[in-house]
Amino acid sequence: MAEAVQGVPELTKAERMKVPRHAMPAQEPLARIRNFAEVALGYAAESALKEAQRCLQCANPPCVKGCPVAIDIPAFVELIRKGDFAGSLAKIQETNTLPAICGRVCPQEEQCEIVCVLAKKYEPVAIGRLERFVADWERVRGEVATPQLAAPSGHRVAVVGSGPAGLACAAELARFGHEVTIFEALHKPGGVLVYGIPEFRLPKEIVAFEIDNLTRMGVTLRSNFVIGKTATVQELFHEHGFDAVFLGTGAGLPYFLGVPGENYIGVLSANEFLTRVNLMKAFDFPRTDTPVRTGRRVAVVGSGNVAMDCLRVAKRLGAEEVVCVYRRTRNESPARKEELEHAEEEAIDFRWLSAPLAILGNEEGFVTGMRIQRMELGEPDASGRRRPVPIAGSEYEIALDTVVMGIGQGPNPLATRSTPGLELNRHGNIVADEKTLMTSIPGVFAGGDIVTGAATVILAMGAGKQAAVGIHEWLARLARGEVTKPAPV
Amino acid sequence: MFSIVHKEEIAPKFHRFVVEAPEIARKHRPGQFVMVLADESGERIPLTIAASDADAGTITLVVQEIGKTTMAMGLLTVGTKLASVVGPLGTPTHIERFGTVVCIGGGAGIAPLLPIAAGLKQAGNRVLSILGGRSQDLVILRAEVEAASDEIFYTTDDGSFGRKGLVTHALADLIKERGRPDLVVAIGPAVMMKAVAEMTRPNAIPTLASLNSIMVDGTGMCGACRVAVDGQTKFVCVDGPEFDAHKVDFDLLIKRLRMYLPEEQTARERFLASHTCRATAGVSDG
């Protein structure tokens, strides 16, 4: 049994507004740039109780509508206030199977917290920090209960990819009583949660724990299995005996800029840089076998969350000068505010309004620098952001040892190219029905970055859940003989 | 899964592994490779599949001890499970009846050449093979390639076996004596493939090379393996590993293969230091 925690009293509405939002402790910047341990340290129980006290318990809560998976936020926060942390976690798990992850990496400031009624005059309830708190509290105590599962349906579903979309889809399907196998191409499950997001933002132990929960729910994991190579989608139906397939293969194709010099040694995609460090533990070389080299001066091109991760990893690997090169300004940066602030605290040199013109190298083929064009903001473009335009004669060069391209990823084509009849858009993303997420092939569903292009963990999870509902309904129709599995090609 | 069911040293520092991998064995086509992670803290390395047996559910890999990872693999014993074997990856060789095909293998490149030569012969081609190495010991898989060839020629750097010289010398003579072949397939060190490409370019003899660049995931995700082909950036892992040798920028490939030389050296020395100690201890015990 969990130890009993004393709740805190309910405050009047007026009193609640007077309580300031509780800060979350974090490692000091000077200390943390020398280690890979988690930066944000999470609430202590006392802060969590007091933060929970601030919630206005709105009758018609806007935060729930802001959440891509519609967590009953007031209910879980109220259970924290009462000291019922296990009940609070169970409430979250009704709609979200990965709370320790979402509490850390969701952009709450754009979703649930931005619409919090308190945010109009004061600061919003720290919903993300509270979600993280209960998940961590119960995990540390080993008290996490396995969700209830429906009776076995007799249907088998293949989930392709073990990133956020696949994990969320698998959990939901298991709850519906379906037999689920997740196929993962890499040797460790978790997708971008494992190869992409660094340890200091999302400890891998937490990802492993959440995945263990899935196996406890009866989900089978097949690592080292590439759909499109080890078996095709067609073969999943006709040789492996699955009744439906979910494709959550993500955005696993790195983009390069197309400027001269991109093949010099020392120019890496963000995917390569992060995979070497996060999945292959290159920060521990030579105790581990996969190397990574940054040299003294590193530039990361781009300013999204992936670029922030690369900048901060480079700093932790010991690079002295770490430069962010971005053609727009801080205001247009797609990174989360918290990530930008963390990077700024870690003394990253931000070069806003700077566009790379060329990567420079030497005879041996190694990177030596970058030629940069200064920009200014012009008229708004199609994205609504002001378009950066070059300032004539403003080119300059910086000396570098490593360049990391953090300008985005496209859809990995291995699964899609090997699936005849699967409709793709002009970017190579899968076209899926907006409601059911079924693709042009009956019984094949898709969601997450492979459909939307690179987005966030929580949007992918939302899509995984949505597809699970679509799959569940389709399987019911399959059982009634109203639909049939795709015919062998 | 991924148990080593057979292992033998086929030449000094060359090991043949037969590994249990039924799904890969079933799907393997000549020209494809696997990514292997020998143990959890190891490095993922690409290894071309030298043979597969769908009925037995096994694939054959030939590993040359070069760096830390391959030297450590040399010490593995039958029954050991490899942490990860993924595949079959890459685009299979396009095999059809071309006519006369010259298959050139150098050093460790002879292993991936074997299934391609066998596939080409089975498709009705006249297969003339040229195998080369530094010395007789290092010209591996001679009987196997011979069985897959109509004729076979050998070269060694030191003249200890076959003709003294490089595979390109044998190729030049072959073209002179037998005329223009319909296709040349070259697999070996990047410098060898470059030399073959230069030799066949003047007569525009179609020439394929199988590239051996550095990879991390092997599934198109990281871009470490990128090469320039006809001025375009290509990923060896998904677009290759075989390309039109006349269009490959071999100088870039050779430079990029040197990326981690200092780290490879560090890892090798560290490994040798720890294993030399153990070997010495073993000797004193005996």
Side-chain angles (χ1 to χ4, degrees):
Chain A
M1 277 299 289
E3 60 206 278
V5 174
Q6 186 71 46
V8 289
E10 203 174 340
L11 303 177
T12 66
K13 294 265 157 89
E15 283 170 334
R16 290 178 214 186
M17 294 183 194
K18 284 187 196 137
V19 183
R21 176 173 158 119
H22 292 77
M24 178 164 55
Q27 279 200 75
E28 289 302 322
L30 276 178
R32 72 190 190 221
I33 57 170
R34 301 184 195 290
N35 67 56
F36 274 82
E38 195 171 15
V39 167
L41 300 172
Y43 277 152
E46 198 194 347
S47 317
L49 289 164
K50 287 188 179 160
E51 183 64 28
Q53 240 176 344
R54 299 179 64 225
C55 177
L56 295 175
Q57 294 295 315
C58 304
N60 191 8
C63 53
V64 179
K65 294 191 193 80
C67 174
V69 297
I71 295 173
D72 188 346
I73 293 165
F76 98 75
V77 173
E78 181 65 358
L79 286 162
I80 292 179
R81 186 189 64 76
K82 290 178 175 165
D84 181 2
F85 299 155
S88 176
L89 181 61
K91 180 54 73 180
I92 296 172
Q93 284 178 324
E94 283 175 12
T95 49
N96 180 1
T97 39
L98 308 168
I101 295 171
C102 293
R104 286 174 166 81
V105 303
C106 265
Q108 292 98 4
E109 68 281 2
E110 300 170 5
Q111 295 175 350
C112 49
E113 294 182 9
I114 195 175
V115 292
C116 176
V117 174
L118 273 183
K120 286 179 191 155
K121 283 184 80 175
Y122 308 96
E123 282 195 283
V125 173
I127 300 166
R129 294 170 185 179
L130 289 174
E131 180 183 29
R132 169 186 167 149
F133 168 77
V134 279
D136 286 358
W137 179 273
E138 295 302 306
R139 184 181 69 255
V140 169
R141 278 155 192 77
E143 299 280 344
V144 178
T146 307
Q148 273 247 264
L149 309 182
S153 67
H155 287 299
R156 298 182 66 222
V157 184
V159 169
V160 182
S162 67
L167 294 178
C169 186
E172 210 61 13
L173 289 166
R175 273 200 238 201
F176 289 139
H178 304 303
E179 191 187 322
V180 182
T181 302
I182 303 180
F183 293 94
E184 166 57 47
L186 289 169
H187 56 279
K188 266 188 205 156
V192 74
L193 304 172
V194 167
Y195 74 74
I197 302 179
E199 182 78 16
F200 58 80
R201 215 150 67 73
L202 179 63
K204 301 311 146 212
E205 179 201 349
I206 289 167
V207 181
F209 180 86
E210 303 269 26
I211 291 169
D212 281 350
N213 271 346
L214 280 187
T215 47
R216 275 196 290 277
M217 290 166 70
V219 171
T220 305
L221 250 166
R222 284 289 316 267
S223 298
N224 307 309
F225 202 109
V226 187
I227 299 303
K229 290 291 175 185
T230 318
T232 61
V233 169
Q234 275 282 328
E235 288 162 346
L236 289 178
F237 281 105
H238 301 294
E239 292 177 30
H240 295 257
F242 289 99
D243 302 308
V245 173
F246 173 73
L247 298 172
T249 50
L253 182 76
Y255 285 150
F256 290 88
L257 274 178
V259 298
E262 272 186 312
N263 288 333
Y264 280 128
I265 302 169
V267 182
L268 289 79
S269 71
N271 269 356
E272 179 185 354
F273 186 59
L274 293 173
T275 301
R276 282 181 180 274
V277 175
N278 300 330
L279 177 73
M280 305 310 298
K281 311 280 179 222
F283 58 83
D284 214 9
F285 180 86
R287 276 182 295 276
T288 56
D289 294 339
T290 305
V292 71
R293 191 192 308 144
T294 58
R296 220 163 58 72
R297 295 159 302 195
V298 179
V300 176
V301 181
S303 179
N305 289 320
V306 171
M308 294 303 119
D309 285 345
C310 293
L311 291 161
R312 298 174 68 198
V313 163
K315 197 84 190 174
R316 281 160 177 76
L317 290 171
E320 292 159 33
E321 293 169 33
V322 182
V323 185
C324 175
V325 180
Y326 183 53
R327 62 199 183 106
R328 301 173 191 259
T329 75
R330 190 181 193 279
N331 293 333
E332 289 82 26
S333 162
R336 285 186 69 193
K337 193 165 152 271
E338 185 185 305
E339 302 309 325
L340 268 172
E341 287 169 359
H342 276 148
E344 285 164 346
E345 287 167 13
E346 293 173 10
I348 304 301
D349 176 4
F350 282 91
R351 305 279 176 107
W352 305 115
L353 293 167
S354 300
L357 289 178
I359 316 290
L360 312 173
N362 62 18
E363 278 289 297
E364 289 77 46
F366 283 84
V367 168
T368 56
M370 184 187 287
R371 186 174 305 125
I372 294 175
Q373 165 98 65
R374 289 215 179 85
M375 313 291 278
E376 59 188 353
L377 290 183
E379 294 302 306
D381 63 12
S383 74
R385 300 179 296 180
R386 291 176 64 192
R387 185 195 304 272
V389 288
I391 301 174
S394 68
E395 299 87 353
Y396 69 107
E397 291 179 5
I398 56 173
L400 293 169
D401 303 303
T402 297
V403 177
V404 179
M405 291 295 169
I407 53 168
Q409 303 88 233
N412 186 297
L414 282 187
T416 53
R417 256 192 225 158
S418 61
T419 310
L422 186 65
E423 190 188 338
L424 307 178
N425 69 14
R426 66 196 168 93
H427 302 293
N429 293 103
I430 299 175
V431 177
D433 180 85
E434 272 182 28
K435 188 168 170 294
T436 63
L437 292 182
M438 190 157 91
T439 66
S440 55
I441 304 175
V444 178
F445 297 73
D449 285 1
I450 188 66
V451 171
T452 58
T456 61
V457 168
I458 188 69
L459 285 174
M461 285 183 52
K465 277 190 62 168
Q466 187 188 341
V469 174
I471 292 167
H472 184 56
E473 286 167 1
W474 192 82
L475 289 172
R477 294 176 63 202
L478 185 71
R480 292 195 298 267
E482 295 167 15
V483 291
T484 50
K485 290 205 259 179
V489 174
Chain B
M1 194 79 94
F2 313 142
S3 277
I4 299 170
V5 297
H6 176 84
K7 185 198 167 200
E8 67 180 301
E9 191 164 5
I10 55 169
K13 298 194 189 300
F14 275 93
H15 305 274
R16 186 199 332 239
F17 291 92
V18 180
V19 178
E20 180 197 7
E23 275 135 351
I24 301 172
R26 205 162 65 98
K27 298 285 283 194
H28 164 239
R29 299 288 174 273
Q32 291 188 297
F33 64 97
V34 285
M35 293 300 295
V36 173
L37 176 72
D39 67 78
E40 280 298 329
S41 67
E43 183 178 25
R44 293 168 63 99
I45 57 165
L47 290 172
T48 309
I49 303 169
S52 58
D53 183 336
D55 296 330
T58 58
I59 57 171
T60 300
L61 305 173
V62 173
V63 179
Q64 183 182 15
E65 290 186 32
I66 295 172
K68 189 256 157 173
T69 299
T70 46
M71 289 194 292
M73 283 187 79
L75 299 178
L76 297 177
T77 50
V78 169
T80 308
K81 281 184 164 63
L82 300 171
S84 165
V85 181
V86 191
L89 301 171
T91 307
T93 309
H94 174 71
I95 288 180
E96 60 168 68
R97 189 164 174 175
F98 297 99
T100 300
V101 183
V102 178
C103 289
I104 306 174
I110 297 173
L113 183 74
L114 173 59
I116 298 171
L120 286 166
K121 176 139 173 71
Q122 203 182 2
N125 292 286
R126 180 169 170 75
V127 175
L128 310 178
S129 295
I130 304 172
L131 303 187
R134 283 206 307 277
S135 61
Q136 178 169 14
D137 281 353
L138 301 175
V139 184
I140 60 169
L141 302 173
R142 295 195 293 258
E144 289 85 347
V145 179
E146 208 167 321
S149 313
D150 291 282
E151 282 182 73
I152 192 158
F153 306 89
Y154 297 103
T155 65
T156 50
D157 296 0
D158 63 2
S160 56
F161 185 64
R163 160 186 185 155
K164 181 171 161 49
L166 302 174
V167 290
T168 38
H169 298 142
L171 175 64
D173 287 354
L174 205 60
I175 294 173
K176 208 188 300 166
E177 289 161 19
R178 315 282 181 94
R180 185 180 182 275
D182 299 292
L183 178 70
V184 171
V185 181
I187 310 183
V191 283
M192 181 206 96
M193 294 190 283
K194 181 187 175 186
V196 170
E198 289 318 314
M199 179 159 286
T200 57
R201 191 190 305 276
N203 295 326
I205 302 167
T207 304
L208 288 176
S210 179
L211 308 188
N212 53 339
S213 48
I214 295 172
M215 296 183 189
V216 181
D217 64 287
T219 59
M221 208 183 79
C222 81
C225 64
R226 60 195 194 279
V227 289
V229 181
D230 210 10
Q232 304 270 317
T233 294
K234 297 279 178 191
F235 288 4
V236 172
C237 65
V238 291
D239 301 317
E242 280 165 29
F243 294 98
D244 178 343
H246 296 150
K247 294 180 176 167
V248 172
D249 182 343
F250 281 104
D251 293 333
L252 178 69
L253 174 70
I254 291 165
K255 283 177 186 166
R256 287 185 63 86
L257 283 169
R258 295 193 192 126
M259 159 114 213
Y260 285 107
L261 280 186
E263 287 81 4
E264 285 166 20
Q265 173 100 358
T266 304
R268 188 165 42 231
E269 281 167 8
R270 202 180 135 91
F271 177 80
L272 284 173
S274 66
H275 286 271
T276 314
C277 293
R278 241 176 262 170
T280 317
V283 170
S284 62
D285 283 347

